[in-house]
Amino acid sequence: MSGSSGEQAPAYRSILSISDEAAKVQALNEHLSTRSYVQGYSLSQADVDVFRQLSAPPADTRLFHVARWFRHMEAILGGACGRGEPCGRQASKGRRGQPQWSPPAGSPPCKLRLYNSLTRNKDVFIPQNGKKVTWYCCGPTVYDASHMGHARSYISFDILRRVLQDYFGFDVFYCMNITDIDDKIIKRARQNYLFEQYRGKQPRAAQLLEDVHAALKPFSVKLNETADPDRKQMLERTQRAVELAAEPLERAVRGGLPAEEAARCAEVLLEEAKDLLSDWLDSTLGSEVTDNSIFSKLPKFWEEEFHRDMETLNVLPPDVLTRVSEYVPEIVNFVQKIVDNGYGYVSNGSVYFDTVKFASSERHSYGKLVPEAVGDQKALQEGEGDLSVSADRLSEKRSPNDFALWKASKPGEPSWPCPWGKGRPGWHIECSAMASALLGASMDIHGGGFDLRFPHHDNELAQSEAYFDNDCWVRYFLHTGHLTIAGCKMSKSLKNFITIKDALQKHSARQLRLAFLMHSWKDTLDYSSNTMESALQYERFMNEFFLNVKDILRAPVDITGRFEKWEDEESELNKSFYDKKTAVHEALCDNVDTRTVLEEMRALVGQCNLYMAARKAARRRPNRALLESIARYLTHMLKVFGAIEEESSLGFPVRGPGSSLNLESTVMPYLQVLSDFREGVRKIAREQKVPEVLQLSDALRDDILPELGVRLEDHEAEEEKRKKKEGAARKKQEQEAAKLAKMKISPSEMFLSETDKYSKFDENGLPTHDSEGKELSKGQAKKLKKLLEAQERLHKEYLQMVQNGSFK
């Protein structure tokens, strides 16, 4: 009852002082008409005192406030309290007051933490604006085919993006850029244009030879100056290939061979010398290429290829895509404001960022991500680009650490008008201008590859904070780890450069994604046969589980049969299920640790497999609802990670090649007919003793249908089948072990232990005399030599396996 304490005391004292009961009731009614009270609340002593003075509720219906109050008091107090009796809540007339309720203590929620390169710690992720997350990702420089290094970044960020929005429920606004103005693009575009022009002129054989020899001279100088042994070896291979391709053409010219033969030799030489001639032509004629359209054709082609690769890899497209060529006016304005703010200066038509002045400002800090790299001239020059590190350009800077915001264009480079003369954007400024145009003065997440931390991202931070005059342009910087190929850095010089299209020839997009999920997004990922074999095994393991659950769910059952009584086994599996879900959540909160998540999912499937096996062994049906619930959860998590590309209610979808048709739902009625027909055929085959039909039936079940994503089980013969499989697997394992043991034996030692047969051996371990000391015949020696040579091949294969890491 509210309002009956403190502030009500004066009114009650006045009512208590009235001696006439009728007048008392009238005054009480007027007072109660201004109050509200709720059953179940505690009462004041004043309420109790007035109630004890009344003999009965009023009969006058106009005094309904008092009547209602009286019944309420009577229900709670059980009638008028006698003197000395405690007044409080009591059971009366079958009515009780509600007991006090307390909320559970609960446990603190697990908070998402992300590894932030700005702090080098896992920081609690707190977006600036509720659940909305603004995210900018550094996109590719499109001058060549996308490779597995690109896949490393963009698949990893796709996984993070999906987890944030589809698991944690954030509203992610994802922006990415395309760099289509860059020193690499300019040089490659010029080279391609000049080479095609040269090829189109169809130079005579003698002229082609003369030009190739002219191009070989600067190439040889570059070769001699190269210190990196791998790159040097690659250049040597190129030089040798060109020289070998030139020899047939030289013979054709000297020998006066038919024009057709000379033309064929010239075409071969042109192809082999393409890179060499392109570089030579660029050095001599590059300054004459002035048409901006020449520099846009190359990036447009490779951007289209990049988008196709990303679509094939099931990488979600960005919400907004920006191209440098479309943002030149914004970039010019961005640079101008940095100059106006005092952190940029114009020098010889170029604009540079003043790192010394910026770093000395109390409001700012230069080199936030990698402070130890500040002053690394090699890294700084790589960031400026091959066309921008000439002696005259370097002399334009106030400090060696300063970097270009805007570059005055040289002859042979694209250019745009600006207040400082014709020029082009610097590399770092593009991301700052485009991201700021879309996301403003401060974004939640900025992402890129690990190798972009310095100088690219440190320079981005500096120039953006100089523009906005703040110290918080990026809140969380996420950097994906490196990708290596079988333990080595990917490089064309090492001949281990793998494009995304190359990788997709060997493995599916799902298999590649599973390989990435099995590693931390921020650590180095080694792309190798072992890595991919682990991914393939995981996919097979999960798919086998999904097929088994689908087979159980296909078994006909009435509606009530779907819900069966749980025994201890179901309760234990369900407890484990929820424990695993908790572990998955904690792993995702811990820097989106997908590696641990996949292991927890694998362990859950393992427990399900044990449960199903135990049920089958006991000839009891597994609980459909529980297994379906677990399978749907696992399907959902694989969807969250992008490992299931299409709509699928349970497991990996089965679709027709190049079609959106869901084969599983389409063929299900026919599959049931096939299953019944097969059971009938098997029954007749057993009765008539026709093993060939049984073998065909088993092949359909074990080999053909699983390849199509279908599992059929002969439930009455499962134990027999399991034993048969185990026996076959054991036999295969024994055979492989025996073969491996034989492969390990060195050829020089294979006969030495056979002292019961041979007594003398030559330096290669080949027997020369039998156990009695008699020299072996030529036929015997020849036979043993063949055995030794066969062992040499086997042992060599074993050593190769060890070297490649395919055997441990």
Side-chain angles (χ1 to χ4, degrees):
M1 185 168 179
S2 63
S4 57
S5 57
E7 72 275 12
Q8 304 297 335
Y12 275 118
R13 282 198 295 271
S14 174
I15 294 169
L16 286 167
S17 65
I18 300 173
S19 57
D20 180 72
E21 185 167 347
K24 188 188 295 287
V25 171
Q26 183 70 40
L28 179 61
N29 192 69
E30 290 175 1
H31 172 67
L32 291 174
S33 67
T34 64
R35 294 177 52 201
S36 63
Y37 49 90
V38 180
Q39 292 186 18
Y41 280 37
S42 60
L43 306 172
S44 72
Q45 188 60 42
D47 286 283
V48 175
D49 291 341
V50 173
F51 176 72
R52 292 169 67 182
Q53 288 185 1
L54 300 182
S55 58
D60 190 341
T61 57
R62 289 174 296 179
L63 302 173
F64 66 92
H65 291 294
V66 176
R68 186 172 61 176
W69 173 86
F70 192 94
R71 287 195 300 272
H72 178 56
M73 296 294 295
E74 194 174 43
I76 293 175
L77 299 178
C81 297
R83 292 186 179 277
E85 294 178 8
C87 292
R89 297 190 184 186
Q90 301 173 19
S92 175
K93 302 180 182 178
R95 299 181 65 180
R96 291 180 179 272
Q98 287 182 309
Q100 187 174 358
W101 176 85
S102 298
S107 57
C110 184
K111 296 180 179 179
L112 170 63
R113 295 177 183 271
L114 295 175
Y115 185 85
N116 187 1
S117 297
L118 287 166
T119 63
R120 302 189 187 184
N121 282 312
K122 295 176 186 177
D123 296 327
V124 175
F125 180 62
I126 306 173
Q128 299 172 98
N129 184 15
K131 297 290 280 185
K132 182 181 179 182
V133 175
T134 52
W135 187 336
Y136 180 83
C137 179
C138 270
T141 301
V142 282
Y143 70 99
D144 205 341
S146 303
H147 51 71
M148 286 302 292
H150 293 116
R152 170 57 169 148
S153 283
Y154 300 121
I155 291 178
S156 296
F157 281 134
D158 186 66
I159 292 167
L160 287 173
R161 177 186 176 189
R162 288 171 181 270
V163 169
L164 259 63
Q165 64 188 22
D166 296 338
Y167 184 84
F168 287 106
F170 291 106
D171 184 6
V172 179
F173 181 59
Y174 191 83
C175 309
M176 189 178 78
N177 78 296
I178 293 289
T179 297
D180 58 354
I181 302 173
D182 176 81
D183 286 34
K184 294 186 184 73
I185 293 172
I186 293 168
K187 190 172 182 179
R188 181 68 62 84
R190 278 195 324 225
Q191 289 177 341
N192 288 355
Y193 172 76
L194 291 169
F195 181 77
E196 290 305 319
Q197 292 283 101
Y198 181 83
R199 184 198 287 269
K201 292 177 182 177
Q202 297 181 337
R204 292 179 294 105
Q207 183 64 51
L208 175 60
L209 286 168
E210 183 181 335
D211 292 341
V212 167
H213 286 302
L216 277 168
K217 290 178 182 178
F219 186 86
S220 298
V221 173
K222 183 168 68 173
L223 173 60
N224 293 330
E225 292 174 350
T226 300
D228 182 85
D230 295 323
R231 179 164 174 76
K232 193 177 187 73
Q233 190 179 43
M234 183 187 74
L235 294 176
E236 287 171 347
R237 285 197 301 265
T238 300
Q239 184 183 53
R240 182 61 183 152
V242 171
E243 290 171 346
L244 287 172
E247 290 175 2
L249 185 59
E250 287 172 343
R251 287 197 298 269
V253 171
R254 287 196 304 267
L257 294 178
E260 291 180 2
E261 180 65 19
R264 188 187 64 78
C265 293
E267 191 60 35
V268 172
L269 178 58
L270 264 174
E271 196 58 39
E272 285 293 344
K274 179 180 179 180
D275 291 343
L276 182 140
L277 281 171
S278 297
D279 204 25
W280 175 69
L281 289 166
D282 187 51
S283 66
T284 56
L285 303 172
S287 60
E288 300 175 11
V289 181
T290 56
D291 186 353
N292 273 15
S293 65
I294 293 170
F295 301 102
S296 63
K297 181 181 177 182
L298 177 79
K300 186 175 186 299
F301 173 82
W302 287 117
E303 183 191 335
E304 289 178 358
E305 291 298 302
F306 169 77
H307 291 313
R308 288 194 186 98
D309 287 341
M310 293 301 104
E311 186 177 6
T312 307
L313 291 172
N314 195 34
V315 171
L316 294 173
D319 295 308
V320 178
L321 184 80
T322 63
R323 299 180 184 87
V324 183
S325 60
E326 297 171 346
Y327 274 78
V328 172
E330 289 86 349
I331 292 171
V332 170
N333 293 336
F334 203 91
V335 172
Q336 183 63 62
K337 187 174 179 183
I338 292 174
V339 173
D340 294 342
N341 287 351
Y343 295 111
Y345 59 90
V346 181
S347 179
N348 200 25
S350 295
V351 185
Y352 293 95
F353 188 83
D354 193 333
T355 55
V356 174
K357 186 170 183 181
F358 182 80
S360 62
S361 169
E362 292 183 1
R363 291 177 56 83
H364 301 298
S365 175
Y366 180 62
K368 284 184 172 183
L369 290 166
V370 197
E372 62 270 24
V374 174
D376 183 342
Q377 291 304 305
K378 182 180 178 183
L380 286 166
Q381 290 184 19
E382 286 178 357
E384 292 295 83
D386 291 344
L387 304 179
S388 309
V389 291
S390 57
D392 58 326
R393 280 282 167 88
L394 294 174
S395 66
E396 295 172 356
K397 301 180 181 182
R398 293 177 182 173
S399 164
N401 293 340
D402 294 352
F403 55 90
L405 299 172
W406 184 266
K407 302 175 182 180
S409 290
K410 297 177 182 177
E413 296 178 0
S415 62
W416 288 263
C418 69
W420 319 287
K422 288 187 174 182
R424 57 191 177 90
W427 177 34
H428 316 299
I429 196 69
E430 61 183 58
C431 288
S432 292
M434 293 187 293
S436 298
L438 293 166
L439 306 179
S442 184
M443 71 185 77
D444 293 307
I445 297 175
H446 191 320
F450 184 82
D451 55 328
L452 295 179
R453 294 180 310 151
F454 185 88
H456 185 50
H457 286 157
D458 266 326
N459 288 351
E460 271 189 48
L461 283 167
Q463 63 202 9
S464 301
E465 291 173 358
Y467 176 90
F468 290 109
D469 199 21
N470 66 12
D471 193 41
C472 57
W473 188 58
V474 174
R475 301 292 183 169
Y476 298 83
F477 237 123
L478 310 183
H479 288 100
T480 54
H482 287 302
L483 178 123
T484 57
I485 306 293
C488 300
K489 182 180 179 181
M490 185 170 65
S491 167
K492 288 183 178 179
S493 62
L494 294 175
K495 289 190 171 182
N496 66 353
F497 186 84
I498 300 176
T499 67
I500 291 173
K501 283 185 172 58
D502 291 337
L504 288 169
Q505 292 293 317
K506 295 182 178 179
H507 301 104
S508 69
R510 179 189 300 139
Q511 290 160 357
L512 292 174
R513 186 170 290 249
L514 286 171
F516 284 39
L517 285 163
M518 296 173 83
H519 294 76
S520 168
W521 60 268
K522 77 175 195 64
D523 295 337
T524 297
L525 185 150
D526 187 46
Y527 178 71
S528 63
S529 57
N530 286 345
T531 299
M532 293 313 303
E533 181 56 33
S534 296
L536 289 167
Q537 287 178 2
Y538 192 92
E539 182 186 44
R540 284 194 293 265
F541 180 75
M542 297 299 291
N543 193 45
E544 188 74 12
F545 169 71
F546 289 133
L547 291 175
N548 286 331
V549 173
K550 286 179 183 178
D551 178 64
I552 290 169
L553 296 178
R554 271 198 302 270
V557 66
D558 56 31
I559 293 176
T560 57
R562 296 176 187 173
F563 304 98
E564 300 162 307
K565 179 185 177 183
W566 279 22
E567 306 291 347
D568 290 344
E569 295 88 347
E570 283 77 26
S571 296
E572 289 174 10
L573 180 58
N574 189 59
K575 181 182 181 304
S576 180
F577 176 28
Y578 278 84
D579 288 344
K580 292 302 178 189
K581 284 204 284 190
T582 300
V584 164
H585 180 69
E586 289 173 351
L588 289 176
C589 286
D590 184 15
N591 197 38
V592 190
D593 180 6
T594 57
R595 182 178 183 176
T596 297
V597 169
L598 260 61
E599 285 307 310
E600 295 292 350
M601 290 167 62
R602 186 203 299 270
L604 177 58
V605 170
Q607 290 166 342
C608 289
N609 289 341
L610 289 173
Y611 164 75
M612 288 188 287
R615 282 293 190 177
K616 289 178 182 179
R619 297 188 179 278
R620 297 177 63 190
R621 188 167 55 191
N623 188 283
R624 296 163 55 100
L626 178 56
L627 288 174
E628 183 177 10
S629 178
I630 293 172
R632 287 189 186 280
Y633 167 75
L634 294 170
T635 301
H636 168 69
M637 291 310 303
L638 290 168
K639 281 183 183 178
V640 166
F641 295 144
I644 291 181
E645 302 87 348
E646 304 95 355
E647 283 300 316
S648 173
S649 59
L650 198 153
F652 300 129
V654 182
R655 296 191 179 277
S659 167
S660 60
L661 178 67
N662 189 324
L663 290 180
E664 193 167 3
S665 60
T666 304
V667 305
M668 192 55 64
Y670 308 100
L671 188 62
Q672 193 60 52
V673 172
L674 174 64
S675 176
D676 295 342
F677 175 75
R678 179 177 167 275
E679 285 298 324
V681 169
R682 290 181 74 253
K683 182 179 179 181
I684 295 171
R686 283 196 301 271
E687 291 172 353
Q688 301 295 325
K689 297 182 179 179
V690 187
E692 292 83 3
V693 174
L694 288 173
Q695 289 170 5
L696 286 171
S697 177
D698 290 344
L700 176 68
R701 177 197 62 198
D702 298 335
D703 302 325
I704 299 171
L705 289 178
E707 287 296 319
L708 298 173
V710 175
R711 166 76 71 241
L712 284 182
E713 291 290 354
D714 301 327
H715 296 285
E716 78 284 357
E718 284 172 0
E719 186 64 21
E720 181 184 347
K721 176 186 141 186
R722 183 183 65 80
K723 289 180 179 179
K724 184 179 178 183
K725 275 192 172 182
E726 287 178 355
R730 193 161 46 246
K731 184 177 179 181
K732 184 180 179 182
Q733 191 175 13
E734 290 169 356
Q735 290 172 343
E736 289 178 351
K739 181 183 177 183
L740 185 60
K742 186 177 179 182
M743 290 173 75
K744 288 182 179 180
I745 299 172
S746 171
S748 60
E749 298 175 358
M750 66 179 294
F751 294 115
L752 296 181
S753 61
E754 299 183 21
T755 52
D756 58 327
K757 296 181 181 178
Y758 313 109
S759 58
K760 293 183 180 181
F761 308 85
D762 65 11
E763 66 277 5
N764 295 321
L766 191 67
T768 56
H769 295 72
D770 63 17
S771 58
E772 297 176 358
K774 184 179 178 182
E775 187 175 358
L776 299 177
S777 67
K778 288 184 179 181
Q780 288 175 309
K782 186 176 181 181
K783 183 178 179 181
L784 292 174
K785 187 177 181 182
K786 283 186 177 180
L787 291 173
L788 185 72
E789 289 171 348
Q791 184 62 27
E792 285 175 346
R793 289 192 294 273
L794 269 178
H795 191 64
K796 184 178 180 181
E797 183 184 345
Y798 166 75
L799 295 176
Q800 190 67 41
M801 288 166 63
V802 173
Q803 185 177 352
N804 293 340
S806 57
F807 169 74
K808 293 182 179 179

